[in-house]
Amino acid sequence: MSRPSHASLLDGLSEAPSVRFNNRIYEMKDTGADVITMSLGEAFFDISMPSFDGMPSADIHHYSHSRGVPLLRQKLAKHASVDSGLPVDPDSEILVTAGSKLAIYMALTAVLEQGDEVIIPEPAWVSYPDQVRMCRGVPVMVPWHEGYEAPASYITPRTRAIVVNNPHNPTGRRLGTVELQSLHDLAVKHSLFIIADEAYSEFLPKGERFISADQFDPERDHTIVCKSMSKNYGISGWRIGYLIANRFMIEQINKLQQHIITCAPTILSCYLAENYDMLRETTRPQISRVVDVRNRMAEELAARDIRCLPGDSTFYLFASLGESRLNSEDFATELLSRHKVAVVPGIGYGGTCDRFIRIAVGAEPEERLLRGIDAIASMIAATR
């Protein structure tokens, strides 16, 4: 008897390289290996153990409203209005979901028809192209060296959306008002959506203000903003993200939410709503610290003649392999094998990024990060 075949869609998808490498690290650590982990896309904060004592068991163990626990929506909407300078209606313009990754996927599903094109500037977060394919679309990649003015030359009659990552994973770059306004002008001129991935909106240098994409689209006619509470609060395993869009798009995306997950995890959402201010007070200083570490590590890399693409935010650096003869996949594999140092191959961030590796500084103390950077410099020298 023949076995039914799987969907051909899956043959066109690849494993997320960051997840694949980190799975290998988890397996190595399970055997007792000491790995300097500079591959994890998260920050490790000192956060108190959550207590659910005193919370209403009649609520937390059951479904919530599919758009999210009302109190959490209110807290998030108030904070988001600060980023954009625009009011956010917690009842109709925000939807809480299970991580910003799902938020982006549902946004793409909501706007794409079969064969629609989505412009994605490189370096691109690893899941963008495959999520576009999963939504029946065609990813159109813009080489990293062409800059943020380049998307205009990639627009065709089939173009439906532009993905904007700000602050940027993997470079740590922030988009300014001129660049964001230019993208919005393109969106208006060509009737496009801007899907703004703002998962790292709070990982900025101290004293800097984040500029949200929807600031330039007051009616949110063409802008869908995707944010991550779990990433910004050092609880990425909790998988809590949210979307901000106009009332009609939230209603449409909420249909997807209802059929995919029903609602975000109620117990976690209730805890975050009740402890929102405490968590912000606890994590904001730690965010400042990790961004400072990120920028000190950029200086350390430069001191070893390792160039990074420009950026000053997040906890990522996108470092050039310089004169190494290895491609990024082989370099990361050898670095892990020889030095027990984990980074992510740049090829996962686009076809023009194979001469880079992504370095994350959120999971290790500074002394171990310096050892990791020394190992990277040694590997580049040894593989010239």
Side-chain angles (χ1 to χ4, degrees), residues 213-234:
D214 59 357
Q215 177 176 321
F216 302 87
D217 182 15
E219 302 301 319
R220 299 188 174 92
D221 290 326
H222 59 264
T223 306
I224 303 173
V225 172
C226 303
K227 289 180 175 283
S228 171
M229 191 174 188
S230 52
K231 188 77 75 170
N232 279 318
Y233 291 77

Side-chain angles (χ1 to χ4, degrees), residues 245-265:
N246 64 54
R247 176 189 295 267
F248 175 77
M249 287 306 302
I250 290 295
E251 289 174 351
Q252 300 305 305
I253 294 171
N254 192 35
K255 297 176 189 176
L256 296 169
Q257 172 108 317
Q258 291 172 357
H259 289 295
I260 295 172
I261 64 166
T262 303
C263 61

Side-chain angles (χ1 to χ4, degrees), residues 1 92 217 366:
M1 183 173 65
S92 64
D217 182 15
E366 203 159 341

